Amino acid sequence: MKTGIIGARGAGKSTVFHALTGLAPIHGASEGKARARPGQIKVRDARLDNLEAIYGSRKKIPVELTVVDFAPNPREQKEGAALDPSLLPLIRDLDALLIVVPQFAGNRQALTAAVESIEGELVFADFDQAERRLERLKKERGGSDFERAALERVLKWLEEGKPLRTLEMTHQELQAFSSFGFLSRKPALVVVNCDVEAATAEITGSERETLRAHGLDVFRLAAAFEAELWELDEAGQREMLSAAGLEAPARDRLIAALYHHLGLITFYTAGEPEAHAWSLERGATALDAAAKIHTDIARGFIRAEVMSYEDFAELKSEAKVKEAGKFRLEGRDYVMRDGDIIHIRFKV
Ligand SMILES: Nc1nc2c(ncn2[C@@H]2O[C@H](COP(=O)(O)OP(=O)(O)OP(=O)(O)O)[C@@H](O)[C@H]2O)c(=O)[nH]1
Ligand SMILES: [Mg+2]
């Protein structure tokens, strides 16, 4: 799962990247794919910590998400422009977006206006793409009536300036558009990059409402402050956070929200060798879960032994979960639930 960080020039995108990953950002223009700098985020997970403790696991493997920062290209993005247009093809492959809006001393933008101008660029790019596709279909007399009608519906929506995120699509439409990578349909979170003094301030109700109408959630992150936290040990971090009136780094909440926005749930495999958290799309089956672990395990799938995290955390051993009749055997079509702890029986 890859999330791209986008926004105006100097909005603090690279600083947000640094705050989330602990990695120094890239500077200077480069070309093509080399403009993208991926970084891994380990998702903090109290349930995984607890499984590690109960099993006495030697290793803990959290879920990792990838965020991508882009090197600026001053020739492409004009001062004050909402987005660098040369980035649009690169963000088509991404699963989600973080939209950074600057609100720190020296660079302040009004939240809804800034988001709307970025959304405007995404909507425009999608319109252009859908229109070109429709024109080609008409010229070549290709495509199905269904696809043409679906494209016209999409175009009408975009023409009103609305992102595709808020358009309900049927399963069939989603399939027809699966290779389009529509930008205004990608799940997105708005990150207000603020000074630490404003990190706990509320986002006003009307701003939140406007953004919600775009299908967007919004978070405050004092990115420069949180980037500095990486320099400190745990005690130092706690001290700096409490001096700022914060309980924990905002990045953890932001990452949790992003995870939720991506439509992901977490399942676990746990034992003495390792406690391992895995992400899975909501609605996926036991067989999909097996395939995440290893293709051979999916191929030889016999059944899944499943406990819920809650039951295991309460009873603290597999034997007790079995005794309580809460240990289940499930087939390949079982729909996985968030927090399932599974063991898959398979033949090689
Ligand atoms: N005070 C303060 N300064 C910040 C903050 N975030 C970024 N800056 C400063 O703003 C400038 C731009 O930050 P970057 O993170 O490089 O912004 P960017 O969006 O990656 O910029 P480009 O990649 O050039 O478009 C730098 O001088 C940062 O130090 C912040 O939260 N507070
Ligand atoms: Mg940058």
Side-chain angles (χ1 to χ4, degrees), residues 271-345:
E272 204 256 320
E274 65 178 45
H276 199 145
W278 307 81
S279 66
L280 197 62
E281 276 158 44
R282 194 171 289 284
T285 63
L287 188 64
D288 298 324
K292 271 261 163 180
I293 301 168
H294 202 287
T295 45
D296 286 346
I297 298 185
R299 202 172 300 128
F301 186 100
I302 300 169
R303 64 174 186 266
E305 301 171 351
V306 187
M307 313 179 272
S308 78
Y309 171 80
E310 281 74 24
D311 291 338
F312 182 74
E314 189 193 323
L315 299 166
K316 299 207 164 40
S317 85
E318 280 179 23
K320 291 228 175 79
V321 172
K322 274 185 188 148
E323 260 172 50
K326 290 180 171 167
F327 192 87
R328 291 172 283 137
L329 295 181
E330 304 281 2
R332 58 174 59 216
D333 295 329
Y334 166 71
V335 174
M336 295 290 290
R337 293 189 207 146
D338 186 51
D340 280 346
I341 304 167
I342 65 169
H343 183 78
I344 291 172
R345 296 267 168 226

Coordinates of all heavy atoms in Angstrom, one line a residue, residues 271-345:
G271 N 3.3 -16.8 17.7 CA 3.8 -18.0 18.3 C 5.1 -17.6 19.0 O 5.5 -16.4 19.1
E272 N 5.9 -18.6 19.5 CA 7.1 -18.3 20.2 C 8.1 -17.7 19.3 O 8.8 -16.7 19.7 CB 7.6 -19.6 20.9 CG 8.4 -19.3 22.1 CD 9.9 -19.6 21.7 OE1 10.1 -20.6 21.0 OE2 10.7 -18.8 22.2
P273 N 8.3 -18.2 18.0 CA 9.3 -17.6 17.1 C 9.0 -16.1 16.8 O 9.9 -15.3 16.9 CB 9.3 -18.4 15.9 CG 8.5 -19.6 16.2 CD 7.6 -19.3 17.4
E274 N 7.7 -15.8 16.4 CA 7.4 -14.4 16.1 C 6.0 -14.1 16.3 O 5.1 -14.9 16.1 CB 7.9 -14.1 14.7 CG 7.2 -14.8 13.6 CD 7.6 -14.4 12.2 OE1 8.8 -14.3 12.0 OE2 6.7 -14.2 11.3
A275 N 5.7 -12.8 16.6 CA 4.4 -12.2 16.5 C 4.3 -11.3 15.3 O 5.1 -10.4 15.2 CB 4.1 -11.4 17.8
H276 N 3.4 -11.6 14.4 CA 3.4 -11.0 13.1 C 2.1 -10.4 12.8 O 1.0 -11.1 12.9 CB 3.8 -12.0 12.1 CG 4.3 -11.5 10.8 ND1 5.2 -12.1 10.0 CD2 4.0 -10.4 10.1 CE1 5.5 -11.4 8.9 NE2 4.7 -10.4 9.0
A277 N 2.0 -9.1 12.5 CA 0.8 -8.4 12.1 C 0.8 -8.3 10.6 O 1.8 -8.0 10.0 CB 0.7 -7.0 12.7
W278 N -0.4 -8.6 10.0 CA -0.6 -8.5 8.5 C -1.7 -7.6 8.2 O -2.7 -7.6 8.9 CB -0.9 -9.9 8.0 CG 0.1 -11.0 8.4 CD1 0.1 -11.7 9.5 CD2 1.2 -11.5 7.5 NE1 1.2 -12.6 9.5 CE2 1.8 -12.5 8.3 CE3 1.7 -11.2 6.3 CZ2 2.9 -13.2 7.8 CZ3 2.7 -11.9 5.8 CH2 3.4 -12.9 6.5
S279 N -1.6 -6.9 7.1 CA -2.8 -6.1 6.7 C -3.5 -6.8 5.6 O -2.9 -7.6 4.9 CB -2.3 -4.7 6.2 OG -1.6 -4.8 5.1
L280 N -4.8 -6.5 5.6 CA -5.7 -7.2 4.6 C -6.8 -6.3 4.3 O -7.3 -5.5 5.1 CB -6.2 -8.5 5.3 CG -6.8 -9.6 4.4 CD1 -5.7 -10.2 3.5 CD2 -7.3 -10.7 5.3
E281 N -7.3 -6.3 3.0 CA -8.4 -5.5 2.6 C -9.7 -6.0 3.3 O -9.9 -7.2 3.4 CB -8.6 -5.5 1.1 CG -7.7 -4.4 0.5 CD -7.4 -4.7 -1.0 OE1 -8.4 -5.1 -1.7 OE2 -6.3 -4.6 -1.4
R282 N -10.4 -5.1 3.8 CA -11.7 -5.5 4.4 C -12.5 -6.3 3.5 O -12.6 -6.0 2.3 CB -12.5 -4.2 4.8 CG -13.6 -4.3 5.7 CD -14.1 -3.0 6.1 NE -13.2 -2.3 7.0 CZ -13.0 -2.6 8.3 NH1 -13.8 -3.5 8.9 NH2 -12.2 -1.9 9.1
G283 N -13.1 -7.4 4.0 CA -13.9 -8.3 3.1 C -13.1 -9.4 2.5 O -13.7 -10.3 1.9
A284 N -11.8 -9.5 2.7 CA -11.0 -10.5 2.2 C -11.2 -11.8 3.0 O -11.7 -11.8 4.1 CB -9.5 -10.2 2.2
T285 N -10.9 -13.0 2.3 CA -11.2 -14.3 2.9 C -10.0 -14.9 3.6 O -8.8 -14.4 3.4 CB -11.7 -15.2 1.8 OG1 -10.6 -15.4 0.9 CG2 -12.9 -14.7 1.1
A286 N -10.2 -16.1 4.2 CA -9.1 -16.8 4.8 C -8.1 -17.2 3.8 O -6.9 -17.2 4.0 CB -9.7 -18.0 5.5
L287 N -8.6 -17.5 2.6 CA -7.7 -17.9 1.5 C -6.8 -16.7 1.1 O -5.6 -16.8 0.9 CB -8.4 -18.4 0.3 CG -7.6 -19.0 -0.8 CD1 -6.8 -20.3 -0.3 CD2 -8.4 -19.4 -2.0
D288 N -7.4 -15.5 1.0 CA -6.6 -14.3 0.8 C -5.5 -14.1 1.9 O -4.4 -13.7 1.6 CB -7.5 -13.0 0.7 CG -8.6 -13.1 -0.4 OD1 -8.2 -13.6 -1.4 OD2 -9.7 -12.6 -0.1
A289 N -6.0 -14.3 3.1 CA -5.0 -14.1 4.2 C -3.9 -15.1 4.0 O -2.7 -14.8 4.2 CB -5.7 -14.4 5.5
A290 N -4.2 -16.4 3.7 CA -3.1 -17.4 3.5 C -2.2 -16.9 2.4 O -0.9 -17.1 2.5 CB -3.8 -18.7 3.1
A291 N -2.7 -16.3 1.3 CA -1.9 -15.9 0.2 C -0.9 -14.8 0.6 O 0.2 -14.6 0.1 CB -2.8 -15.5 -1.0
K292 N -1.4 -13.9 1.6 CA -0.5 -12.9 2.1 C 0.7 -13.5 2.7 O 1.8 -12.9 2.6 CB -1.3 -12.1 3.2 CG -2.1 -11.0 2.7 CD -1.3 -9.7 2.9 CE -1.9 -8.6 2.1 NZ -1.2 -7.3 2.2
I293 N 0.5 -14.6 3.4 CA 1.6 -15.2 4.2 C 2.6 -15.9 3.2 O 3.8 -15.6 3.3 CB 1.0 -16.2 5.3 CG1 0.1 -15.4 6.2 CG2 2.2 -16.8 6.0 CD1 -0.7 -16.3 7.1
H294 N 2.0 -16.7 2.4 CA 2.8 -17.4 1.4 C 2.0 -18.0 0.3 O 0.9 -18.6 0.6 CB 3.7 -18.5 2.1 CG 4.9 -18.8 1.3 ND1 4.8 -19.6 0.1 CD2 6.2 -18.6 1.4 CE1 6.0 -19.7 -0.4 NE2 6.9 -19.1 0.4
T295 N 2.4 -17.9 -0.9 CA 1.5 -18.5 -2.0 C 1.4 -20.0 -1.8 O 0.3 -20.6 -2.1 CB 2.1 -18.3 -3.4 OG1 3.5 -18.5 -3.4 CG2 1.9 -16.8 -3.9
D296 N 2.4 -20.7 -1.3 CA 2.4 -22.2 -1.1 C 1.3 -22.5 -0.1 O 0.6 -23.5 -0.2 CB 3.7 -22.7 -0.6 CG 4.7 -22.7 -1.7 OD1 4.3 -22.6 -2.9 OD2 5.9 -22.9 -1.4
I297 N 1.2 -21.6 0.9 CA 0.2 -21.9 2.0 C -1.2 -21.7 1.5 O -2.1 -22.5 1.8 CB 0.5 -20.9 3.2 CG1 1.8 -21.2 3.8 CG2 -0.6 -21.1 4.3 CD1 2.2 -20.4 5.0
A298 N -1.4 -20.8 0.5 CA -2.7 -20.6 -0.1 C -3.0 -21.8 -1.0 O -4.1 -22.4 -1.0 CB -2.7 -19.3 -0.9
R299 N -2.0 -22.3 -1.7 CA -2.2 -23.4 -2.7 C -2.6 -24.6 -2.0 O -3.4 -25.4 -2.4 CB -0.9 -23.6 -3.5 CG -1.1 -24.3 -4.8 CD 0.1 -24.3 -5.7 NE 0.6 -23.0 -6.0 CZ 1.9 -22.6 -5.8 NH1 2.8 -23.4 -5.3 NH2 2.3 -21.4 -6.2
G300 N -1.9 -24.9 -0.8 CA -2.2 -26.2 -0.1 C -3.2 -26.0 1.0 O -3.4 -26.9 1.8
F301 N -4.0 -24.9 1.0 CA -4.9 -24.6 2.1 C -5.8 -25.7 2.4 O -6.5 -26.3 1.6 CB -5.7 -23.3 1.6 CG -6.6 -22.8 2.7 CD1 -6.2 -21.6 3.4 CD2 -7.9 -23.3 3.0 CE1 -7.1 -21.1 4.4 CE2 -8.7 -22.8 4.0 CZ -8.3 -21.7 4.7
I302 N -5.9 -26.1 3.7 CA -6.9 -27.1 4.2 C -7.9 -26.4 5.0 O -9.1 -26.4 4.7 CB -6.2 -28.2 5.0 CG1 -5.1 -28.9 4.1 CG2 -7.3 -29.2 5.5 CD1 -4.3 -29.9 4.9
R303 N -7.5 -25.7 6.0 CA -8.4 -24.9 6.9 C -7.7 -23.9 7.7 O -6.5 -24.0 7.9 CB -9.3 -25.8 7.7 CG -8.5 -26.6 8.7 CD -9.4 -27.4 9.7 NE -8.5 -28.0 10.7 CZ -8.0 -29.2 10.7 NH1 -8.3 -30.0 9.6 NH2 -7.2 -29.6 11.6
A304 N -8.4 -23.0 8.3 CA -7.8 -22.0 9.1 C -8.3 -22.2 10.5 O -9.5 -22.4 10.8 CB -8.2 -20.6 8.6
E305 N -7.4 -22.1 11.5 CA -7.8 -22.2 12.9 C -7.8 -20.7 13.4 O -6.8 -20.0 13.2 CB -6.8 -23.0 13.7 CG -6.7 -24.4 13.2 CD -5.6 -25.2 13.9 OE1 -4.8 -24.6 14.6 OE2 -5.5 -26.4 13.6
V306 N -8.9 -20.3 13.9 CA -9.1 -18.8 14.2 C -9.5 -18.6 15.6 O -10.4 -19.2 16.2 CB -10.2 -18.2 13.2 CG1 -10.2 -16.7 13.4 CG2 -9.9 -18.6 11.8
M307 N -8.8 -17.6 16.2 CA -9.3 -17.0 17.5 C -9.4 -15.5 17.3 O -8.7 -14.9 16.5 CB -8.3 -17.2 18.6 CG -7.7 -18.6 18.8 SD -6.5 -18.5 20.2 CE -5.0 -18.0 19.4
S308 N -10.3 -14.9 18.1 CA -10.3 -13.4 18.0 C -9.3 -12.9 19.0 O -9.0 -13.5 20.1 CB -11.7 -12.9 18.4 OG -11.9 -12.9 19.8
Y309 N -8.7 -11.7 18.7 CA -7.8 -11.1 19.6 C -8.4 -10.9 21.0 O -7.7 -11.2 22.0 CB -7.3 -9.8 19.1 CG -6.4 -9.0 20.1 CD1 -5.1 -9.4 20.3 CD2 -7.0 -8.1 20.9 CE1 -4.4 -8.8 21.3 CE2 -6.3 -7.4 21.9 CZ -5.0 -7.8 22.1 OH -4.2 -7.2 23.1
E310 N -9.6 -10.5 21.1 CA -10.2 -10.2 22.4 C -10.3 -11.5 23.3 O -9.9 -11.4 24.4 CB -11.7 -9.7 22.2 CG -11.8 -8.2 21.9 CD -11.4 -7.9 20.4 OE1 -11.5 -8.9 19.6 OE2 -10.9 -6.8 20.1
D311 N -10.7 -12.6 22.7 CA -10.8 -13.8 23.5 C -9.4 -14.2 23.9 O -9.2 -14.6 25.1 CB -11.4 -14.9 22.6 CG -12.9 -14.7 22.3 OD1 -13.5 -13.9 23.1 OD2 -13.4 -15.3 21.3
F312 N -8.4 -14.1 23.0 CA -7.1 -14.6 23.4 C -6.5 -13.7 24.5 O -5.8 -14.1 25.4 CB -6.2 -14.6 22.2 CG -4.8 -15.1 22.5 CD1 -4.5 -16.5 22.8 CD2 -3.7 -14.2 22.6 CE1 -3.3 -16.9 23.1 CE2 -2.4 -14.7 22.9 CZ -2.2 -16.0 23.2
A313 N -6.7 -12.4 24.3 CA -6.1 -11.4 25.3 C -6.7 -11.6 26.7 O -6.1 -11.4 27.7 CB -6.3 -10.0 24.8
E314 N -8.0 -12.0 26.7 CA -8.7 -12.3 27.9 C -8.2 -13.6 28.6 O -7.9 -13.6 29.8 CB -10.2 -12.3 27.7 CG -11.0 -12.3 29.0 CD -12.5 -12.6 28.7 OE1 -13.0 -12.2 27.6 OE2 -13.1 -13.3 29.5
L315 N -8.1 -14.6 27.8 CA -7.8 -16.0 28.3 C -6.4 -16.3 28.4 O -5.9 -17.2 29.1 CB -8.6 -17.0 27.6 CG -10.2 -16.8 27.7 CD1 -10.9 -17.6 26.6 CD2 -10.7 -17.1 29.1
K316 N -5.6 -15.7 27.5 CA -4.1 -15.7 27.6 C -3.5 -17.0 27.2 O -2.3 -17.2 27.4 CB -3.6 -15.2 28.9 CG -4.0 -13.8 29.2 CD -3.0 -13.1 30.2 CE -3.2 -11.6 30.1 NZ -4.5 -11.1 30.1
S317 N -4.2 -18.0 26.7 CA -3.6 -19.2 26.1 C -4.5 -19.8 25.1 O -5.8 -19.8 25.2 CB -3.2 -20.2 27.2 OG -4.2 -21.0 27.5
E318 N -4.0 -20.5 24.1 CA -4.8 -21.2 23.1 C -5.6 -22.3 23.7 O -6.8 -22.5 23.4 CB -3.9 -21.8 22.0 CG -3.4 -20.8 21.0 CD -2.5 -21.4 19.9 OE1 -2.5 -22.6 19.7 OE2 -1.7 -20.6 19.4
A319 N -5.0 -23.0 24.7 CA -5.7 -24.1 25.4 C -7.0 -23.5 26.1 O -8.0 -24.2 26.0 CB -4.8 -24.7 26.4
K320 N -6.9 -22.4 26.7 CA -8.0 -21.9 27.4 C -9.1 -21.4 26.4 O -10.3 -21.5 26.7 CB -7.6 -20.7 28.3 CG -6.7 -21.1 29.5 CD -7.2 -20.5 30.8 CE -6.5 -21.0 32.0 NZ -5.2 -20.3 32.2
V321 N -8.6 -20.8 25.3 CA -9.6 -20.4 24.3 C -10.4 -21.6 23.8 O -11.6 -21.6 23.6 CB -8.9 -19.7 23.1 CG1 -9.8 -19.4 22.0 CG2 -8.3 -18.4 23.6
K322 N -9.6 -22.7 23.6 CA -10.3 -24.0 23.1 C -11.3 -24.5 24.2 O -12.4 -24.8 23.8 CB -9.2 -25.1 22.9 CG -8.6 -25.0 21.5 CD -7.6 -26.1 21.2 CE -6.9 -25.9 19.9 NZ -5.6 -26.4 19.9
E323 N -10.8 -24.5 25.4 CA -11.7 -24.9 26.5 C -13.0 -24.1 26.5 O -14.1 -24.7 26.8 CB -11.0 -24.7 27.9 CG -10.4 -25.9 28.5 CD -9.6 -25.5 29.7 OE1 -10.1 -24.8 30.5 OE2 -8.4 -25.9 29.7
A324 N -12.9 -22.8 26.3 CA -14.0 -22.0 26.3 C -14.9 -22.1 25.1 O -15.9 -21.4 24.9 CB -13.6 -20.5 26.5
G325 N -14.5 -23.0 24.2 CA -15.3 -23.2 22.9 C -15.2 -22.0 22.0 O -16.1 -21.8 21.2
K326 N -14.1 -21.2 22.1 CA -14.0 -20.0 21.2 C -13.0 -20.1 20.1 O -12.6 -19.2 19.6 CB -13.8 -18.8 22.1 CG -15.0 -18.5 22.9 CD -14.8 -17.3 23.8 CE -16.2 -16.9 24.4 NZ -16.0 -15.9 25.5
F327 N -12.5 -21.4 20.0 CA -11.5 -21.6 18.9 C -12.3 -22.2 17.7 O -13.0 -23.1 17.9 CB -10.5 -22.7 19.5 CG -9.3 -22.8 18.7 CD1 -8.2 -22.0 18.9 CD2 -9.2 -23.9 17.7 CE1 -7.0 -22.2 18.2 CE2 -8.0 -24.0 17.0 CZ -6.9 -23.2 17.2
R328 N -12.1 -21.6 16.6 CA -12.9 -22.0 15.4 C -12.1 -22.6 14.3 O -11.0 -22.2 14.1 CB -13.7 -20.8 14.9 CG -14.7 -20.2 15.9 CD -15.3 -18.9 15.4 NE -14.4 -17.8 15.6 CZ -14.1 -16.9 14.8 NH1 -14.6 -16.9 13.6 NH2 -13.2 -15.9 15.1
L329 N -12.7 -23.5 13.6 CA -12.2 -24.0 12.3 C -12.9 -23.4 11.2 O -14.2 -23.5 11.2 CB -12.3 -25.5 12.2 CG -11.5 -26.3 13.3 CD1 -11.6 -27.8 13.1 CD2 -10.0 -25.9 13.2
E330 N -12.2 -22.7 10.3 CA -12.9 -22.0 9.2 C -12.4 -22.5 7.8 O -11.2 -22.9 7.7 CB -12.8 -20.5 9.3 CG -13.2 -19.9 10.6 CD -14.7 -19.8 10.7 OE1 -15.5 -20.2 9.8 OE2 -15.2 -19.2 11.7
G331 N -13.2 -22.4 6.8 CA -12.8 -22.8 5.5 C -12.3 -21.6 4.7 O -12.2 -20.5 5.2
R332 N -11.9 -21.9 3.4 CA -11.3 -20.9 2.6 C -12.1 -19.6 2.4 O -11.6 -18.5 2.2 CB -10.8 -21.5 1.3 CG -12.0 -22.1 0.5 CD -11.5 -22.5 -0.9 NE -10.5 -23.5 -0.8 CZ -9.4 -23.6 -1.6 NH1 -9.3 -22.8 -2.6 NH2 -8.5 -24.5 -1.4
D333 N -13.4 -19.7 2.4 CA -14.3 -18.6 2.1 C -14.6 -17.7 3.4 O -15.4 -16.8 3.2 CB -15.6 -19.1 1.5 CG -15.3 -19.7 0.1 OD1 -14.3 -19.3 -0.5 OD2 -16.1 -20.6 -0.3
Y334 N -14.2 -18.1 4.5 CA -14.4 -17.4 5.7 C -14.0 -15.9 5.5 O -12.8 -15.7 5.1 CB -13.7 -18.0 6.9 CG -13.6 -17.2 8.1 CD1 -14.7 -16.9 8.9 CD2 -12.4 -16.6 8.5 CE1 -14.6 -16.1 10.0 CE2 -12.3 -15.8 9.6 CZ -13.4 -15.5 10.4 OH -13.3 -14.7 11.5
V335 N -14.8 -15.0 5.8 CA -14.4 -13.6 5.7 C -13.7 -13.1 7.0 O -14.2 -13.2 8.1 CB -15.7 -12.7 5.5 CG1 -15.3 -11.2 5.5 CG2 -16.4 -13.0 4.2
M336 N -12.5 -12.7 6.8 CA -11.6 -12.4 7.9 C -12.1 -11.2 8.6 O -12.6 -10.2 8.0 CB -10.2 -12.1 7.4 CG -9.5 -13.3 6.8 SD -9.0 -14.5 8.0 CE -7.7 -13.7 8.8
R337 N -11.9 -11.2 10.0 CA -12.3 -10.0 10.8 C -11.1 -9.4 11.4 O -10.1 -10.0 11.6 CB -13.2 -10.5 12.0 CG -14.5 -11.0 11.5 CD -15.4 -11.2 12.7 NE -16.4 -12.3 12.3 CZ -16.9 -13.2 13.2 NH1 -16.5 -13.1 14.5 NH2 -17.7 -14.1 12.8
D338 N -11.2 -8.1 11.6 CA -10.1 -7.4 12.2 C -9.7 -8.0 13.6 O -10.6 -8.3 14.4 CB -10.5 -5.9 12.5 CG -9.3 -5.1 13.0 OD1 -8.2 -5.1 12.3 OD2 -9.5 -4.4 14.0
G339 N -8.5 -8.3 13.8 CA -8.0 -8.8 15.1 C -8.0 -10.4 15.1 O -7.6 -10.9 16.1
D340 N -8.4 -11.0 14.0 CA -8.3 -12.5 14.0 C -6.8 -12.9 14.2 O -5.9 -12.4 13.5 CB -8.8 -13.1 12.7 CG -10.3 -13.1 12.6 OD1 -11.0 -13.0 13.7 OD2 -10.9 -13.3 11.5
I341 N -6.7 -14.0 15.0 CA -5.3 -14.6 15.1 C -5.5 -16.0 14.4 O -6.4 -16.7 14.8 CB -4.9 -14.8 16.6 CG1 -5.0 -13.5 17.3 CG2 -3.6 -15.5 16.7 CD1 -4.9 -13.7 18.8
I342 N -4.7 -16.2 13.4 CA -5.0 -17.5 12.6 C -3.7 -18.4 12.5 O -2.6 -17.9 12.6 CB -5.5 -17.2 11.2 CG1 -4.4 -16.5 10.3 CG2 -6.8 -16.4 11.2 CD1 -4.8 -16.5 8.9
H343 N -4.1 -19.6 12.4 CA -3.1 -20.6 12.1 C -3.6 -21.4 10.9 O -4.7 -21.9 11.0 CB -2.8 -21.5 13.3 CG -1.7 -22.5 13.0 ND1 -0.4 -22.1 13.0 CD2 -1.8 -23.8 12.6 CE1 0.3 -23.2 12.7 NE2 -0.5 -24.2 12.4
I344 N -2.9 -21.5 9.8 CA -3.4 -22.1 8.6 C -2.8 -23.5 8.5 O -1.6 -23.7 8.5 CB -3.2 -21.3 7.4 CG1 -4.1 -20.0 7.5 CG2 -3.6 -22.1 6.1 CD1 -3.9 -19.0 6.5
R345 N -3.7 -24.5 8.4 CA -3.3 -25.9 8.1 C -3.2 -26.0 6.6 O -4.2 -25.6 5.9 CB -4.3 -26.9 8.6 CG -4.4 -26.8 10.1 CD -3.5 -27.9 10.8 NE -3.4 -27.7 12.2 CZ -2.3 -27.7 12.9 NH1 -1.1 -27.9 12.3 NH2 -2.3 -27.5 14.2

